[in-house]
Short mmCIF file of all heavy atoms in Angstrom, two decimals:
data_model
loop_
_atom_site.label_atom_id
_atom_site.label_comp_id
_atom_site.label_asym_id
_atom_site.label_seq_id
_atom_site.Cartn_x
_atom_site.Cartn_y
_atom_site.Cartn_z
N ALA A 22 41.60 17.96 -6.09
CA ALA A 22 42.62 18.52 -6.97
C ALA A 22 43.35 17.34 -7.62
O ALA A 22 44.02 16.56 -6.93
CB ALA A 22 43.58 19.40 -6.18
N ASP A 24 45.16 17.92 -10.52
CA ASP A 24 45.72 18.80 -11.55
C ASP A 24 47.24 18.89 -11.48
O ASP A 24 47.82 19.90 -11.86
CB ASP A 24 45.12 20.21 -11.38
CG ASP A 24 45.44 20.80 -10.01
OD1 ASP A 24 45.71 20.03 -9.08
OD2 ASP A 24 45.43 22.04 -9.87
N ARG A 33 55.47 11.94 -8.26
CA ARG A 33 54.68 11.04 -7.40
C ARG A 33 54.76 9.60 -7.91
O ARG A 33 54.82 8.66 -7.14
CB ARG A 33 53.22 11.48 -7.36
CG ARG A 33 52.99 12.93 -6.98
CD ARG A 33 52.43 13.12 -5.59
NE ARG A 33 52.06 14.50 -5.40
CZ ARG A 33 52.92 15.49 -5.08
NH1 ARG A 33 54.20 15.22 -4.88
NH2 ARG A 33 52.49 16.74 -4.93
N ILE A 67 39.55 19.33 -10.20
CA ILE A 67 40.43 20.24 -10.95
C ILE A 67 41.36 19.41 -11.82
O ILE A 67 42.10 18.55 -11.33
CB ILE A 67 41.27 21.12 -10.00
CG1 ILE A 67 40.41 21.70 -8.87
CG2 ILE A 67 41.97 22.22 -10.79
CD1 ILE A 67 41.23 22.37 -7.76
N LYS A 97 43.29 23.79 -13.87
CA LYS A 97 44.42 24.61 -13.39
C LYS A 97 44.92 25.44 -14.57
O LYS A 97 45.23 24.88 -15.63
CB LYS A 97 45.54 23.68 -12.92
CG LYS A 97 46.88 24.32 -12.62
CD LYS A 97 47.90 23.19 -12.42
CE LYS A 97 49.32 23.69 -12.31
NZ LYS A 97 49.61 24.24 -10.99
N LYS A 136 41.82 27.24 -11.28
CA LYS A 136 42.72 27.39 -10.13
C LYS A 136 44.02 28.05 -10.56
O LYS A 136 44.53 27.79 -11.65
CB LYS A 136 43.03 26.01 -9.54
CG LYS A 136 43.91 26.06 -8.31
CD LYS A 136 44.35 24.68 -7.86
CE LYS A 136 45.80 24.46 -8.21
NZ LYS A 136 46.33 23.19 -7.68
N ARG A 138 47.74 28.93 -8.52
CA ARG A 138 48.47 28.76 -7.26
C ARG A 138 49.66 29.70 -7.20
O ARG A 138 50.48 29.72 -8.13
CB ARG A 138 48.94 27.31 -7.15
CG ARG A 138 49.85 27.00 -5.98
CD ARG A 138 50.12 25.50 -5.95
NE ARG A 138 51.04 25.10 -4.92
CZ ARG A 138 52.32 24.80 -5.16
NH1 ARG A 138 52.81 24.86 -6.38
NH2 ARG A 138 53.11 24.43 -4.17
N GLU A 177 44.57 30.63 -4.87
CA GLU A 177 45.34 29.78 -3.97
C GLU A 177 46.68 30.44 -3.60
O GLU A 177 47.65 30.30 -4.32
CB GLU A 177 45.60 28.40 -4.61
CG GLU A 177 46.38 27.47 -3.70
CD GLU A 177 46.63 26.09 -4.32
OE1 GLU A 177 46.31 25.87 -5.49
OE2 GLU A 177 47.18 25.24 -3.60
N GLU A 179 49.44 29.82 -1.47
CA GLU A 179 49.95 28.75 -0.58
C GLU A 179 51.20 29.18 0.15
O GLU A 179 52.25 29.39 -0.46
CB GLU A 179 50.24 27.46 -1.38
CG GLU A 179 50.83 26.38 -0.46
CD GLU A 179 51.00 25.00 -1.10
OE1 GLU A 179 50.72 24.86 -2.31
OE2 GLU A 179 51.43 24.08 -0.38
N LYS A 219 41.53 29.20 -1.60
CA LYS A 219 42.16 27.91 -1.29
C LYS A 219 43.44 28.17 -0.50
O LYS A 219 44.51 28.37 -1.08
CB LYS A 219 42.46 27.15 -2.59
CG LYS A 219 43.18 25.82 -2.38
CD LYS A 219 43.09 24.93 -3.60
CE LYS A 219 43.91 23.68 -3.41
NZ LYS A 219 43.63 22.65 -4.41
N LEU A 260 43.94 23.42 0.85
CA LEU A 260 44.90 22.47 0.27
C LEU A 260 45.45 21.64 1.42
O LEU A 260 45.31 22.03 2.59
CB LEU A 260 46.02 23.26 -0.43
CG LEU A 260 46.87 24.23 0.40
CD1 LEU A 260 48.12 23.59 0.94
CD2 LEU A 260 47.19 25.46 -0.39
N SER A 261 46.08 20.50 1.12
CA SER A 261 46.62 19.70 2.24
C SER A 261 48.10 20.00 2.46
O SER A 261 48.58 19.85 3.59
CB SER A 261 46.36 18.22 2.03
OG SER A 261 46.89 17.72 0.83
N GLY A 262 48.83 20.36 1.42
CA GLY A 262 50.16 20.94 1.59
C GLY A 262 51.26 20.03 2.09
O GLY A 262 52.28 20.53 2.54
N GLY A 263 51.05 18.70 2.06
CA GLY A 263 52.09 17.81 2.54
C GLY A 263 51.79 17.23 3.91
O GLY A 263 52.58 16.46 4.46
N SER A 291 39.99 20.93 -0.72
CA SER A 291 40.37 20.83 -2.12
C SER A 291 41.73 20.15 -2.15
O SER A 291 42.72 20.71 -2.61
CB SER A 291 40.44 22.23 -2.76
OG SER A 291 40.90 22.14 -4.08
N PHE A 292 41.75 18.92 -1.58
CA PHE A 292 43.02 18.22 -1.39
C PHE A 292 43.45 17.51 -2.66
O PHE A 292 42.62 17.02 -3.42
CB PHE A 292 42.90 17.16 -0.29
CG PHE A 292 42.51 17.68 1.08
CD1 PHE A 292 41.82 16.86 1.97
CD2 PHE A 292 42.84 18.97 1.50
CE1 PHE A 292 41.46 17.30 3.23
CE2 PHE A 292 42.49 19.42 2.77
CZ PHE A 292 41.80 18.58 3.63
N ALA A 293 44.77 17.41 -2.84
CA ALA A 293 45.32 16.51 -3.86
C ALA A 293 45.90 15.30 -3.14
O ALA A 293 45.26 14.25 -3.04
CB ALA A 293 46.37 17.23 -4.70
N ARG A 294 47.09 15.49 -2.53
CA ARG A 294 47.75 14.35 -1.88
C ARG A 294 46.91 13.71 -0.79
O ARG A 294 46.89 12.49 -0.65
CB ARG A 294 49.10 14.79 -1.31
CG ARG A 294 50.16 14.92 -2.34
CD ARG A 294 51.35 15.71 -1.83
NE ARG A 294 51.04 17.13 -1.71
CZ ARG A 294 51.92 18.06 -1.31
NH1 ARG A 294 53.13 17.69 -0.99
NH2 ARG A 294 51.59 19.32 -1.24
N ALA A 295 46.21 14.52 0.02
CA ALA A 295 45.48 13.96 1.16
C ALA A 295 44.26 13.14 0.73
O ALA A 295 43.66 12.44 1.55
CB ALA A 295 45.06 15.07 2.13
P1 LIG B 1 47.83 19.26 -1.89
O1 LIG B 1 46.52 18.98 -1.24
O2 LIG B 1 48.61 18.01 -2.24
O3 LIG B 1 48.64 20.27 -1.16
O4 LIG B 1 47.51 19.92 -3.29
C1 LIG B 1 46.54 20.88 -3.37
C2 LIG B 1 46.77 21.68 -4.57
O5 LIG B 1 45.92 21.76 -5.41
C3 LIG B 1 48.05 22.39 -4.70
O6 LIG B 1 47.96 23.35 -5.72
#
Side-chain angles (χ1 to χ4, degrees):
D24 60 337
R33 307 253 188 279
I67 315 170
K97 169 190 172 78
K136 182 188 106 174
R138 173 175 176 257
E177 181 179 6
E179 177 173 3
K219 177 163 175 167
L260 60 93
S261 57
S291 176
F292 300 152
R294 282 164 288 181

